[in-house]
Short mmCIF file of all heavy atoms in Angstrom, two decimals:
data_model
loop_
_atom_site.label_atom_id
_atom_site.label_comp_id
_atom_site.label_asym_id
_atom_site.label_seq_id
_atom_site.Cartn_x
_atom_site.Cartn_y
_atom_site.Cartn_z
N THR A 59 4.26 41.15 -31.31
CA THR A 59 4.38 41.09 -32.86
C THR A 59 3.46 42.18 -33.50
O THR A 59 2.46 42.61 -32.90
CB THR A 59 4.06 39.66 -33.35
OG1 THR A 59 2.65 39.39 -33.05
CG2 THR A 59 4.93 38.65 -32.82
N ALA A 60 3.65 42.34 -34.79
CA ALA A 60 2.73 43.27 -35.47
C ALA A 60 1.26 42.78 -35.58
O ALA A 60 0.33 43.56 -35.41
CB ALA A 60 3.35 43.59 -36.86
N ALA A 61 1.18 41.49 -35.84
CA ALA A 61 -0.18 40.85 -35.91
C ALA A 61 -0.86 40.92 -34.59
O ALA A 61 -2.11 41.28 -34.45
CB ALA A 61 -0.03 39.37 -36.36
N GLY A 62 -0.06 40.68 -33.61
CA GLY A 62 -0.69 40.94 -32.18
C GLY A 62 -1.14 42.35 -31.95
O GLY A 62 -2.18 42.44 -31.34
N GLN A 63 -0.41 43.39 -32.40
CA GLN A 63 -0.81 44.77 -32.22
C GLN A 63 -2.07 45.03 -32.95
O GLN A 63 -2.90 45.92 -32.49
CB GLN A 63 0.32 45.60 -32.63
CG GLN A 63 1.53 45.51 -31.85
CD GLN A 63 1.33 45.97 -30.40
OE1 GLN A 63 0.63 46.97 -30.06
NE2 GLN A 63 1.98 45.26 -29.44
N THR A 64 -2.27 44.44 -34.17
CA THR A 64 -3.42 44.63 -34.89
C THR A 64 -4.72 44.11 -34.16
O THR A 64 -5.77 44.78 -34.11
CB THR A 64 -3.41 43.90 -36.24
OG1 THR A 64 -2.19 44.46 -36.94
CG2 THR A 64 -4.55 44.15 -37.08
N LEU A 65 -4.51 42.88 -33.52
CA LEU A 65 -5.57 42.22 -32.79
C LEU A 65 -5.92 43.16 -31.51
O LEU A 65 -7.16 43.38 -31.11
CB LEU A 65 -5.23 40.91 -32.32
CG LEU A 65 -5.20 39.81 -33.46
CD1 LEU A 65 -4.62 38.54 -32.75
CD2 LEU A 65 -6.50 39.56 -33.98
N LEU A 66 -4.97 43.77 -30.99
CA LEU A 66 -5.19 44.55 -29.70
C LEU A 66 -6.02 45.81 -30.09
O LEU A 66 -6.71 46.31 -29.19
CB LEU A 66 -3.75 44.92 -29.17
CG LEU A 66 -2.92 43.76 -28.64
CD1 LEU A 66 -1.57 44.28 -28.14
CD2 LEU A 66 -3.54 43.17 -27.44
N ALA A 67 -5.74 46.31 -31.24
CA ALA A 67 -6.47 47.53 -31.50
C ALA A 67 -7.92 47.38 -31.66
O ALA A 67 -8.73 48.28 -31.47
CB ALA A 67 -5.99 48.13 -32.84
N ASN A 68 -8.45 46.07 -31.86
CA ASN A 68 -9.83 45.79 -32.05
C ASN A 68 -10.48 45.11 -30.82
O ASN A 68 -11.58 44.66 -30.95
CB ASN A 68 -10.03 45.04 -33.35
CG ASN A 68 -9.49 45.70 -34.54
OD1 ASN A 68 -9.64 46.93 -34.72
ND2 ASN A 68 -8.82 44.98 -35.36
N ASP A 69 -9.75 44.93 -29.75
CA ASP A 69 -10.28 44.10 -28.71
C ASP A 69 -9.88 44.73 -27.36
O ASP A 69 -8.60 44.87 -26.99
CB ASP A 69 -9.68 42.57 -28.81
CG ASP A 69 -10.42 41.77 -27.74
OD1 ASP A 69 -10.34 41.97 -26.54
OD2 ASP A 69 -11.05 40.73 -28.27
N ALA A 70 -10.85 45.20 -26.66
CA ALA A 70 -10.60 45.97 -25.43
C ALA A 70 -9.85 45.06 -24.42
O ALA A 70 -9.05 45.50 -23.67
CB ALA A 70 -11.91 46.56 -24.85
N THR A 71 -10.36 43.77 -24.31
CA THR A 71 -9.78 42.93 -23.26
C THR A 71 -8.24 42.71 -23.57
O THR A 71 -7.45 42.72 -22.66
CB THR A 71 -10.50 41.48 -23.27
OG1 THR A 71 -11.91 41.89 -22.97
CG2 THR A 71 -9.96 40.69 -22.22
N LEU A 72 -8.04 42.43 -24.75
CA LEU A 72 -6.58 42.20 -25.07
C LEU A 72 -5.74 43.36 -24.98
O LEU A 72 -4.67 43.44 -24.61
CB LEU A 72 -6.41 41.64 -26.70
CG LEU A 72 -6.93 40.28 -26.97
CD1 LEU A 72 -6.95 39.97 -28.38
CD2 LEU A 72 -6.16 39.19 -26.16
N ARG A 73 -6.39 44.64 -25.25
CA ARG A 73 -5.61 45.89 -25.10
C ARG A 73 -5.28 46.14 -23.72
O ARG A 73 -4.18 46.57 -23.34
CB ARG A 73 -6.53 47.02 -25.72
CG ARG A 73 -5.69 48.27 -25.73
CD ARG A 73 -6.48 49.39 -26.60
NE ARG A 73 -7.87 49.52 -26.21
CZ ARG A 73 -8.94 49.16 -27.00
NH1 ARG A 73 -8.69 48.44 -28.12
NH2 ARG A 73 -10.13 49.44 -26.48
N THR A 74 -6.24 45.80 -22.80
CA THR A 74 -6.04 45.98 -21.32
C THR A 74 -4.79 45.02 -20.92
O THR A 74 -3.93 45.46 -20.09
CB THR A 74 -7.25 45.63 -20.52
OG1 THR A 74 -8.32 46.42 -20.99
CG2 THR A 74 -7.02 45.69 -19.10
N TYR A 75 -4.85 43.78 -21.43
CA TYR A 75 -3.76 42.88 -21.12
C TYR A 75 -2.37 43.33 -21.53
O TYR A 75 -1.39 43.33 -20.94
CB TYR A 75 -4.01 41.47 -21.72
CG TYR A 75 -2.89 40.58 -21.51
CD1 TYR A 75 -2.73 39.78 -20.33
CD2 TYR A 75 -1.94 40.42 -22.39
CE1 TYR A 75 -1.67 38.92 -20.11
CE2 TYR A 75 -0.90 39.37 -22.26
CZ TYR A 75 -0.81 38.72 -21.21
OH TYR A 75 0.34 37.85 -21.00
N ALA A 76 -2.41 43.98 -22.87
CA ALA A 76 -1.23 44.49 -23.36
C ALA A 76 -0.62 45.57 -22.69
O ALA A 76 0.57 45.71 -22.46
CB ALA A 76 -1.44 44.95 -24.69
N GLU A 77 -1.51 46.46 -22.00
CA GLU A 77 -1.01 47.60 -21.24
C GLU A 77 -0.46 47.02 -20.00
O GLU A 77 0.62 47.55 -19.49
CB GLU A 77 -2.26 48.51 -21.00
CG GLU A 77 -2.77 49.21 -22.15
CD GLU A 77 -4.10 49.99 -21.84
OE1 GLU A 77 -4.50 49.88 -20.76
OE2 GLU A 77 -4.50 50.78 -22.81
N LYS A 78 -1.05 45.96 -19.41
CA LYS A 78 -0.61 45.57 -18.14
C LYS A 78 0.92 44.83 -18.37
O LYS A 78 1.79 44.95 -17.63
CB LYS A 78 -1.42 44.46 -17.48
CG LYS A 78 -2.69 45.04 -16.97
CD LYS A 78 -3.63 43.91 -16.32
CE LYS A 78 -4.92 44.50 -15.77
NZ LYS A 78 -5.80 43.59 -15.23
N GLN A 79 0.95 44.10 -19.58
CA GLN A 79 2.24 43.49 -19.97
C GLN A 79 3.29 44.47 -20.19
O GLN A 79 4.44 44.30 -19.78
CB GLN A 79 1.94 42.53 -21.18
CG GLN A 79 3.22 41.93 -21.75
CD GLN A 79 3.63 40.85 -20.77
OE1 GLN A 79 2.86 40.37 -19.92
NE2 GLN A 79 4.90 40.36 -20.85
N ALA A 80 2.97 45.59 -20.80
CA ALA A 80 3.87 46.71 -21.07
C ALA A 80 4.44 47.22 -19.66
O ALA A 80 5.67 47.66 -19.62
CB ALA A 80 3.34 47.75 -21.98
N ALA A 81 3.52 47.46 -18.79
CA ALA A 81 4.00 47.96 -17.55
C ALA A 81 4.85 46.96 -16.80
O ALA A 81 5.83 47.46 -16.17
CB ALA A 81 2.70 48.25 -16.76
N HIS A 82 4.48 45.83 -16.91
CA HIS A 82 5.29 44.70 -16.19
C HIS A 82 6.77 44.69 -16.85
O HIS A 82 7.77 44.56 -16.21
CB HIS A 82 4.67 43.36 -16.44
CG HIS A 82 5.45 42.13 -15.88
ND1 HIS A 82 5.70 41.99 -14.56
CD2 HIS A 82 6.13 41.21 -16.53
CE1 HIS A 82 6.40 40.95 -14.38
NE2 HIS A 82 6.75 40.41 -15.54
N LEU A 83 6.86 44.74 -18.26
CA LEU A 83 8.17 44.82 -18.89
C LEU A 83 8.86 45.97 -18.47
O LEU A 83 10.11 45.89 -18.20
CB LEU A 83 7.86 44.77 -20.47
CG LEU A 83 7.32 43.43 -21.02
CD1 LEU A 83 7.15 43.56 -22.40
CD2 LEU A 83 8.44 42.27 -20.74
N GLN A 84 8.29 47.08 -18.38
CA GLN A 84 9.00 48.37 -18.03
C GLN A 84 9.54 48.28 -16.68
O GLN A 84 10.65 48.65 -16.44
CB GLN A 84 8.06 49.53 -18.19
CG GLN A 84 8.67 50.93 -17.82
CD GLN A 84 7.75 52.02 -18.14
OE1 GLN A 84 6.62 51.93 -18.23
NE2 GLN A 84 8.30 53.18 -18.04
N GLN A 85 8.80 47.69 -15.76
CA GLN A 85 9.23 47.44 -14.36
C GLN A 85 10.40 46.59 -14.42
O GLN A 85 11.42 46.93 -13.66
CB GLN A 85 8.19 46.92 -13.52
CG GLN A 85 8.65 46.79 -12.07
CD GLN A 85 7.47 45.99 -11.22
OE1 GLN A 85 6.72 45.26 -11.72
NE2 GLN A 85 7.40 46.36 -9.91
N ASN A 86 10.36 45.56 -15.15
CA ASN A 86 11.53 44.58 -15.26
C ASN A 86 12.82 45.23 -15.82
O ASN A 86 13.89 45.03 -15.38
CB ASN A 86 11.14 43.32 -15.99
CG ASN A 86 10.34 42.36 -15.28
OD1 ASN A 86 10.21 42.41 -14.08
ND2 ASN A 86 9.59 41.42 -15.99
N TYR A 87 12.57 46.00 -16.78
CA TYR A 87 13.74 46.76 -17.43
C TYR A 87 14.36 47.69 -16.37
O TYR A 87 15.60 47.81 -16.25
CB TYR A 87 13.26 47.62 -18.61
CG TYR A 87 12.88 46.72 -19.80
CD1 TYR A 87 11.88 47.18 -20.72
CD2 TYR A 87 13.41 45.58 -19.96
CE1 TYR A 87 11.36 46.40 -21.81
CE2 TYR A 87 13.08 44.71 -21.10
CZ TYR A 87 11.97 45.15 -21.91
OH TYR A 87 11.66 44.41 -23.06
N HIS A 88 13.50 48.38 -15.53
CA HIS A 88 13.99 49.27 -14.65
C HIS A 88 14.85 48.48 -13.49
O HIS A 88 15.69 48.93 -12.99
CB HIS A 88 12.77 49.98 -13.88
CG HIS A 88 13.27 50.98 -12.83
ND1 HIS A 88 13.85 52.10 -13.06
CD2 HIS A 88 13.00 50.91 -11.54
CE1 HIS A 88 14.12 52.69 -12.02
NE2 HIS A 88 13.58 51.95 -11.00
N ARG A 89 14.30 47.35 -13.07
CA ARG A 89 14.91 46.53 -12.07
C ARG A 89 16.29 46.02 -12.55
O ARG A 89 17.17 45.94 -11.75
CB ARG A 89 14.06 45.39 -11.54
CG ARG A 89 12.72 45.84 -10.96
CD ARG A 89 11.70 44.68 -10.77
NE ARG A 89 12.31 43.73 -9.72
CZ ARG A 89 11.57 42.65 -9.38
NH1 ARG A 89 10.48 42.35 -9.98
NH2 ARG A 89 12.07 41.93 -8.44
N ILE A 90 16.39 45.63 -13.87
CA ILE A 90 17.64 45.16 -14.36
C ILE A 90 18.77 46.25 -14.42
O ILE A 90 19.80 46.16 -14.06
CB ILE A 90 17.35 44.56 -15.80
CG1 ILE A 90 16.54 43.24 -15.61
CG2 ILE A 90 18.71 44.21 -16.45
CD1 ILE A 90 16.17 42.73 -16.98
N VAL A 91 18.37 47.42 -14.92
CA VAL A 91 19.18 48.51 -15.09
C VAL A 91 19.58 49.06 -13.70
O VAL A 91 20.71 49.52 -13.47
CB VAL A 91 18.63 49.66 -15.95
CG1 VAL A 91 19.42 50.79 -15.97
CG2 VAL A 91 18.33 49.12 -17.39
N THR A 92 18.60 49.15 -12.76
CA THR A 92 18.89 49.75 -11.44
C THR A 92 18.57 48.76 -10.36
O THR A 92 17.49 48.79 -9.75
CB THR A 92 18.02 51.17 -11.28
OG1 THR A 92 16.63 50.77 -11.48
CG2 THR A 92 18.54 52.18 -12.28
N PRO A 93 19.53 47.97 -10.03
CA PRO A 93 19.24 46.90 -8.99
C PRO A 93 19.19 47.58 -7.59
O PRO A 93 18.73 46.87 -6.58
CB PRO A 93 20.49 46.06 -9.04
CG PRO A 93 21.62 46.84 -9.67
CD PRO A 93 20.93 47.82 -10.60
N VAL A 94 19.46 48.83 -7.42
CA VAL A 94 19.40 49.53 -6.09
C VAL A 94 18.46 50.70 -6.50
O VAL A 94 18.74 51.53 -7.27
CB VAL A 94 20.68 49.95 -5.49
CG1 VAL A 94 20.33 50.56 -4.16
CG2 VAL A 94 21.56 48.74 -5.25
N THR A 95 17.25 50.80 -5.78
CA THR A 95 16.35 52.02 -5.87
C THR A 95 16.25 52.60 -4.50
O THR A 95 16.34 51.94 -3.45
CB THR A 95 15.11 51.62 -6.43
OG1 THR A 95 14.47 50.40 -5.76
CG2 THR A 95 15.28 51.08 -7.96
N SER A 96 15.77 53.87 -4.47
CA SER A 96 15.61 54.65 -3.23
C SER A 96 14.24 55.32 -3.32
O SER A 96 13.67 55.61 -4.42
CB SER A 96 16.62 55.66 -2.99
OG SER A 96 16.64 56.59 -4.05
N PHE A 97 13.50 55.27 -2.23
CA PHE A 97 12.25 56.03 -2.15
C PHE A 97 12.12 56.59 -0.67
O PHE A 97 12.85 56.07 0.20
CB PHE A 97 11.14 55.13 -2.63
CG PHE A 97 11.11 53.83 -1.71
CD1 PHE A 97 10.22 53.68 -0.61
CD2 PHE A 97 11.78 52.72 -2.08
CE1 PHE A 97 10.15 52.47 0.12
CE2 PHE A 97 11.70 51.48 -1.52
CZ PHE A 97 11.01 51.46 -0.32
N LYS A 98 11.20 57.43 -0.46
CA LYS A 98 10.94 57.97 0.86
C LYS A 98 9.74 57.40 1.48
O LYS A 98 8.77 57.29 0.71
CB LYS A 98 10.86 59.53 0.67
CG LYS A 98 12.17 60.19 0.37
CD LYS A 98 12.06 61.72 0.30
CE LYS A 98 13.36 62.36 -0.16
NZ LYS A 98 13.22 63.86 -0.23
N VAL A 99 9.66 57.28 2.77
CA VAL A 99 8.50 56.83 3.44
C VAL A 99 8.41 57.68 4.73
O VAL A 99 9.34 58.30 5.17
CB VAL A 99 8.69 55.28 3.77
CG1 VAL A 99 8.57 54.37 2.58
CG2 VAL A 99 9.87 55.01 4.59
N ILE A 100 7.32 57.51 5.41
CA ILE A 100 7.09 58.25 6.65
C ILE A 100 6.88 57.09 7.77
O ILE A 100 6.08 56.24 7.62
CB ILE A 100 5.82 59.09 6.56
CG1 ILE A 100 6.04 60.25 5.54
CG2 ILE A 100 5.49 59.81 7.97
CD1 ILE A 100 7.17 61.13 5.88
N ASP A 101 7.63 57.26 8.83
CA ASP A 101 7.54 56.35 9.97
C ASP A 101 6.26 56.80 10.71
O ASP A 101 6.14 57.98 11.14
CB ASP A 101 8.74 56.55 10.86
CG ASP A 101 8.70 55.54 11.99
OD1 ASP A 101 7.66 54.91 12.26
OD2 ASP A 101 9.88 55.23 12.45
N PRO A 102 5.26 55.85 10.89
CA PRO A 102 4.08 56.20 11.60
C PRO A 102 4.21 56.43 13.17
O PRO A 102 3.25 57.02 13.73
CB PRO A 102 3.16 55.03 11.34
CG PRO A 102 4.07 53.93 11.16
CD PRO A 102 5.28 54.45 10.45
N ASP A 103 5.44 56.13 13.67
CA ASP A 103 5.47 56.38 15.03
C ASP A 103 5.47 57.94 15.35
O ASP A 103 6.33 58.72 14.81
CB ASP A 103 6.92 55.85 15.52
CG ASP A 103 7.07 55.92 16.98
OD1 ASP A 103 6.29 56.47 17.69
OD2 ASP A 103 8.17 55.28 17.42
N PRO A 104 4.62 58.36 16.24
CA PRO A 104 4.49 59.86 16.46
C PRO A 104 5.73 60.33 17.21
O PRO A 104 5.93 61.56 17.17
CB PRO A 104 3.31 59.92 17.39
CG PRO A 104 3.15 58.66 17.99
CD PRO A 104 3.65 57.67 16.96
N HIS A 105 6.59 59.55 17.78
CA HIS A 105 7.85 59.92 18.39
C HIS A 105 9.03 59.71 17.53
O HIS A 105 10.18 59.87 18.04
CB HIS A 105 7.92 59.21 19.67
CG HIS A 105 6.82 59.31 20.66
ND1 HIS A 105 6.39 60.50 21.27
CD2 HIS A 105 5.86 58.50 21.05
CE1 HIS A 105 5.41 60.30 22.10
NE2 HIS A 105 5.03 59.01 21.85
N ALA A 106 8.78 59.50 16.34
CA ALA A 106 9.95 59.17 15.36
C ALA A 106 10.74 60.41 15.18
O ALA A 106 10.33 61.59 15.23
CB ALA A 106 9.40 58.73 14.07
N VAL A 107 12.11 60.28 15.05
CA VAL A 107 12.98 61.38 14.80
C VAL A 107 12.80 61.96 13.47
O VAL A 107 12.24 61.26 12.47
CB VAL A 107 14.43 60.87 15.01
CG1 VAL A 107 14.74 60.39 16.44
CG2 VAL A 107 14.92 59.98 14.02
N ASP A 108 13.12 63.21 13.27
CA ASP A 108 13.07 63.97 12.06
C ASP A 108 11.71 63.94 11.47
O ASP A 108 11.51 63.84 10.24
CB ASP A 108 14.18 63.34 11.15
CG ASP A 108 14.42 64.27 9.89
OD1 ASP A 108 14.19 65.47 9.89
OD2 ASP A 108 14.72 63.75 8.87
N GLY A 109 10.72 63.99 12.29
CA GLY A 109 9.21 64.00 11.75
C GLY A 109 8.85 62.78 11.09
O GLY A 109 7.92 62.75 10.38
N GLY A 110 9.57 61.71 11.35
CA GLY A 110 9.27 60.35 10.74
C GLY A 110 9.76 60.14 9.31
O GLY A 110 9.50 59.24 8.61
N HIS A 111 10.55 61.07 8.75
CA HIS A 111 11.08 61.12 7.46
C HIS A 111 12.10 59.92 7.38
O HIS A 111 13.08 59.88 8.13
CB HIS A 111 11.69 62.39 6.99
CG HIS A 111 10.61 63.45 6.78
ND1 HIS A 111 9.76 63.52 5.71
CD2 HIS A 111 10.35 64.42 7.61
CE1 HIS A 111 8.92 64.64 5.86
NE2 HIS A 111 9.36 65.12 7.08
N VAL A 112 12.00 58.97 6.42
CA VAL A 112 12.82 57.87 6.33
C VAL A 112 13.22 57.71 4.88
O VAL A 112 12.33 57.80 3.98
CB VAL A 112 12.28 56.61 6.86
CG1 VAL A 112 13.13 55.34 6.53
CG2 VAL A 112 12.01 56.67 8.30
N LEU A 113 14.50 57.52 4.61
CA LEU A 113 14.94 57.22 3.16
C LEU A 113 15.20 55.71 3.13
O LEU A 113 16.02 55.16 3.88
CB LEU A 113 16.27 57.89 2.93
CG LEU A 113 16.93 57.54 1.56
CD1 LEU A 113 16.04 58.03 0.31
CD2 LEU A 113 18.33 58.27 1.47
#
Side-chain angles (χ1 to χ4, degrees):
T59 62
Q63 294 296 322
T64 302
L65 290 173
L66 296 176
N68 301 319
D69 191 296
T71 302
L72 290 177
R73 188 164 56 249
T74 301
Y75 174 83
E77 292 172 353
K78 292 181 179 180
Q79 181 67 18
H82 176 70
L83 290 175
Q84 184 176 10
Q85 182 185 30
N86 285 342
Y87 293 150
H88 178 72
R89 294 171 71 182
I90 292 172
V91 175
T92 56
V94 181
T95 53
S96 63
F97 55 95
K98 295 180 179 180
V99 296
I100 297 295
D101 190 337
D103 185 352
H105 304 291
V107 300
D108 194 24
H111 293 283
V112 174
L113 175 65

